[in-house]
Amino acid sequence: MVRRDGADGAAGAARSSVWERPEPAARPAPSPLSRERIVAAAVELADADGLEAVSLRKVGAALDAGPMRLYRYLSTKEELLDLMADAVHGEIAAPDPDAPDAGAPDADPGGTDGDWRAVLRASAHRTRRAALRHPWFADLLGGRPGLGPNALGNREAVLAALYGAPGFLGIDAVLRAVGTVDDYLVGALRRETAELRAERDTGLDKDAWRRSEGPYLSRVLAAGNYPALAAAVRYGAHTDPATAFEAGLDVVLDGIAAGLAPGG
Amino acid sequence: MVRRDGADGAAGAARSSVWERPEPAARPAPSPLSRERIVAAAVELADADGLEAVSLRKVGAALDAGPMRLYRYLSTKEELLDLMADAVHGEIAAPDPDAPDAGAPDADPGGTDGDWRAVLRASAHRTRRAALRHPWFADLLGGRPGLGPNALGNREAVLAALYGAPGFLGIDAVLRAVGTVDDYLVGALRRETAELRAERDTGLDKDAWRRSEGPYLSRVLAAGNYPALAAAVRYGAHTDPATAFEAGLDVVLDGIAAGLAPGG
DNA sequence: TATCGGTCGATACACTGTATCGGCCGCGAC
DNA sequence: GTCGCGGCCGATACAGTGTATCGACCGATA
């Protein structure tokens, strides 16, 4: 067991995390490798063929390197996944090119009543767009605590924006609001990208999916054991994912508003 | 794992004498295997050592069978995971022994609103308790669409209960409410069990975790780059997971109520 | 009794993450 | 220039994974 902690190795049990272990200095010539390049290659692989296609061998091969070479920059595959997740958090932080500008969280003009709503909504939408760009991201989201600099930075930006928003009486209210939105976000994105992937895997379009999984569902519902479910499928409005997401988000935001405005 | 003496190796002079002819296998029972037993073994394994400890070999070994034997009952490992998830959904459906009756309407004596709130709240709590019993469950929850009989049954029960509740004007309102609660549930449980696992893995108790991951966080916060975050950690009330879950759930339920109240 | 269909599980294969270690290469000292 | 050395690299190895293949067996049937 060779630990490459470097200088900051404290007492034996305290393993330092990727986030503060410095990237090893770039070797002069034969080293076109860096954490950033590794993560980029891994992200590309995951985007193309899913998270399960990310193996140290394949990532290494994409960089003309053997799998062992990566262990200079990571000490475990889990760290690679953490870095990938934080890379996406970095995209979330950056102003989003392919979307209407809903307002940056750090730019808080500090005026109208609905500010906190706009902040939370914009953050949620940016996260959703990133999750749709990288369908594997949602699977990583709740899996382990996100402690990378970009994740922390996003959290910081939202918190800072909400501290100043009118109507919020204290830290605890802010934390509760952010936490609830976050939990909703994780669940909703996970479900949405899971459905998206199921469609993409079984066939290519939604019709193919309906032909593959649909018959089973139809048979089950036709059997009559789930009348309420059958009614939901038959008579429910099948809203598209974007508006469904928005609707759920509105529910959560309404709930926050109800909690902090006793008088209405 | 049962070694039959004569069978392996010498193929030629096999049936010479009764004495060394292997006991005719005399399998203890015609079929000591069943999907239910397989799933039970897998669940036990996952409860003990986590989801990643569930391998077809280990599950088979727990049942005195080789890995290939299981393929009579499953056609893929993913199916096993689906079955495991649905088994937990079965626990959720059953009335819960080790918990106070959370379905009692005394939580919300208001009257008109009370019914659906109690239904959703009870369902959420049963799910949470199951997720805490099986810390791997939340990782499976949003991962792929839950189409097993128990999952469908639970959905059916909730839908049926809500259709009759006062205040809900139509199917779409019910679906939106259930969907939002579900998404929150998935995210909240995933986060909670992830934290729980992180604590359990790094050490045994929460103090050990704080000593292992805490220093990193402390150092990062002390650097001053995240003042809002630091303030949250320092001055925020660190509520226990159960009441935090309840608080988030209340936010969502309040949002639902706000959405369907005609008075706005 | 001979045949047959279904089942079992040993073996094999491609692949995973990671430990080990011998050799190579460039750098510093003389 | 020459030597020694320390660190990096990656070949090799290992234990483990999910699953395909297939020979051999079992019980039932003609």
Side-chain angles (χ1 to χ4, degrees):
Chain A
M1 179 200 300
V2 178
R3 283 256 155 250
R4 291 168 281 264
D5 288 345
D8 50 11
R15 321 186 303 260
S16 71
S17 54
V18 221
W19 313 117
E20 55 181 3
R21 190 171 57 247
E23 173 166 25
R27 270 352 253 150
S31 147
L33 231 52
S34 69
R35 241 178 227 177
E36 195 182 345
R37 277 174 48 85
I38 292 174
V39 171
V43 165
E44 198 168 349
L45 254 164
D47 284 347
D49 298 320
L51 241 199
E52 75 278 4
V54 174
S55 80
L56 296 183
R57 276 165 176 86
K58 291 199 202 121
V59 171
L63 299 166
D64 277 322
M68 283 304 113
R69 182 114 176 260
L70 307 182
Y71 278 86
R72 301 257 118 232
Y73 303 86
L74 332 151
S75 70
T76 237
K77 191 195 180 180
E78 296 234 307
E79 286 192 358
L80 175 57
L81 297 180
D82 288 347
L83 288 169
M84 291 170 66
D86 205 59
V88 177
H89 272 117
E91 294 183 17
I92 295 173
D96 203 344
D98 64 339
D101 189 8
D106 52 350
D108 184 21
T112 49
D113 234 25
D115 268 347
W116 60 268
R117 266 188 113 106
V119 168
L120 288 176
R121 197 193 299 277
S123 163
H125 275 132
R126 283 203 308 276
T127 305
R128 174 165 180 267
R129 279 194 296 273
L132 293 182
R133 272 195 303 267
H134 309 290
W136 43 270
F137 178 59
D139 288 339
L140 259 35
L141 244 187
R144 32 210 271 116
L147 265 48
N150 291 323
L152 291 182
N154 288 348
R155 192 62 122 243
E156 168 73 18
V158 170
L159 288 184
L162 290 195
Y163 282 168
F168 279 96
L169 302 178
I171 287 184
D172 290 327
V174 168
L175 290 183
R176 189 155 58 104
V178 171
T180 308
V181 170
D182 227 58
D183 288 344
Y184 166 74
L185 212 55
V186 170
L189 294 183
R190 198 154 142 80
R191 188 176 41 71
E192 186 173 350
T193 56
E195 286 171 5
L196 193 142
R197 227 175 333 167
E199 287 174 6
R200 198 199 56 181
D201 286 355
T202 57
L204 259 80
D205 53 86
K206 178 177 302 184
D207 284 343
W209 183 84
R210 231 173 232 167
R211 241 173 290 125
S212 112
E213 207 72 50
Y216 160 69
L217 251 188
S218 302
R219 243 172 291 137
V220 153
L221 293 183
N225 295 7
Y226 307 107
L229 213 54
V233 169
R234 175 158 350 203
Y235 301 115
H238 294 87
T239 61
D240 67 306
T243 69
F245 175 81
E246 187 76 25
L249 182 57
D250 276 333
V251 166
V252 175
L253 294 179
D254 285 349
I256 294 170
L260 55 83
Chain B
M1 204 67 92
V2 177
R3 280 247 159 266
R4 282 175 296 210
D5 291 333
D8 28 337
R15 348 171 116 244
S16 52
S17 78
V18 214
W19 316 116
E20 54 181 15
R21 197 175 344 153
E23 182 147 85
R27 289 330 308 141
S31 153
L33 231 51
S34 69
R35 239 176 227 178
E36 196 181 345
R37 276 172 50 86
I38 291 174
V39 171
V43 164
E44 199 168 348
L45 254 163
D47 286 346
D49 298 320
L51 241 200
E52 75 280 1
V54 174
S55 80
L56 296 183
R57 279 166 173 83
K58 291 202 203 115
V59 172
L63 298 165
D64 277 322
M68 285 302 114
R69 179 115 178 259
L70 307 182
Y71 277 87
R72 284 273 95 102
Y73 303 87
L74 333 150
S75 68
T76 236
K77 193 195 179 179
E78 296 235 306
E79 283 191 1
L80 175 57
L81 297 180
D82 288 347
L83 289 169
M84 290 169 68
D86 206 60
V88 177
H89 272 117
E91 293 182 16
I92 294 173
D96 202 345
D98 66 338
D101 189 7
D106 57 31
D108 193 284
T112 57
D113 273 3
D115 276 342
W116 61 267
R117 268 189 113 104
V119 168
L120 288 175
R121 195 192 301 275
S123 163
H125 275 131
R126 283 203 308 276
T127 305
R128 174 166 181 268
R129 278 193 297 272
L132 293 183
R133 271 195 302 268
H134 309 288
W136 43 271
F137 178 59
D139 289 339
L140 259 34
L141 242 190
R144 34 209 273 116
L147 265 48
N150 291 323
L152 291 182
N154 288 349
R155 192 64 121 244
E156 167 72 18
V158 170
L159 288 184
L162 289 196
Y163 281 168
F168 279 96
L169 302 176
I171 287 184
D172 290 326
V174 168
L175 291 184
R176 189 156 58 104
V178 171
T180 308
V181 170
D182 228 57
D183 288 344
Y184 166 73
L185 211 56
V186 170
L189 294 183
R190 199 154 143 79
R191 188 177 41 71
E192 184 173 351
T193 57
E195 287 170 6
L196 192 142
R197 228 175 332 167
E199 288 173 7
R200 198 200 54 182
D201 286 356
T202 55
L204 259 78
D205 53 88
K206 178 176 303 187
D207 284 343
W209 183 84
R210 229 171 236 170
R211 240 172 292 126
S212 117
E213 206 72 49
Y216 160 68
L217 251 186
S218 302
R219 244 170 289 141
V220 153
L221 293 183
N225 295 7
Y226 308 107
L229 214 53
V233 169
R234 174 154 355 202
Y235 301 115
H238 294 87
T239 60
D240 67 307
T243 70
F245 175 82
E246 188 76 23
L249 183 57
D250 276 333
V251 167
V252 175
L253 294 179
D254 286 349
I256 294 171
L260 54 81

